[in-house]
Amino acid sequence: MTDTSFLNEVRINLDSALESIEALAPLIDPNIHSCGTVRPHGEQELRHPEKNFYIVGMKSYGRAPTFLLATGYEQVRSVMAYLTGDVEGAKEVPLELPETGVCSVNSASSCCDSDIPSTEPKDGSCCGSPVLARLEIINRFCCE
């Protein structure tokens, strides 16, 4: 169990099973979702009862292993938009995550099957993004 004792003075709402933010738990439940099927989420799903208090990034997912860095970046962008008064900007969550071989059960799928613009990488992989290239290498190791 995660030690949240340092948050005793703050009103938080955590899911009892995942230890993630309660509103986020059904969206990230690893029994239902892989990291490629978690829908984009932002400030509203990350909000706690304590005014202007948020847990973002990997810690927002508690025990769920479906977190991706791109998700965390979008969480931070959305929360910061809200905190600076851009409520409409906080509601817009344009993140589109590719199905990667690491996240899906289809081992034929890879980051190269997505519509992400690719550049010619120096490492010989088919993906232009260094993060996606690493995922492709892991996919080859795990799934082939």
Side-chain angles (χ1 to χ4, degrees), residues 8-76:
N8 283 345
E9 300 298 320
V10 180
R11 293 176 297 148
I12 60 174
N13 209 358
L14 298 179
D15 178 73
S16 61
L18 290 179
E19 297 178 349
S20 69
I21 298 165
E22 191 170 56
L24 193 56
L27 304 176
I28 63 172
D29 186 337
N31 294 314
I32 301 167
H33 298 283
S34 69
C35 52
T37 65
V38 172
R39 76 168 174 78
H41 52 275
E43 181 275 333
Q44 187 173 0
E45 293 85 357
L46 299 168
R47 189 182 301 158
H48 283 277
E50 187 74 28
K51 184 178 178 175
N52 296 333
F53 182 80
Y54 300 88
I55 297 174
V56 297
M58 192 165 81
K59 295 297 183 185
S60 69
Y61 273 46
R63 296 176 178 264
T66 51
F67 179 77
L68 293 173
L69 284 175
T71 302
Y73 299 148
E74 185 55 32
Q75 287 178 343
V76 171

Side-chain angles (χ1 to χ4, degrees), residues 74-125:
E74 185 55 32
Q75 287 178 343
V76 171
R77 188 215 52 81
S78 177
V79 168
M80 292 308 297
Y82 182 81
L83 291 175
T84 59
D86 182 7
V87 176
E88 288 305 312
K91 289 179 184 177
E92 295 173 14
V93 187
L95 181 64
E96 290 184 33
L97 298 173
E99 282 283 338
T100 65
V102 176
C103 307
S104 69
V105 293
N106 179 3
S107 64
S109 174
S110 74
C111 61
C112 305
D113 297 334
S114 69
D115 295 330
I116 295 175
S118 181
T119 58
E120 289 298 318
K122 295 178 183 168
D123 66 359
S125 70

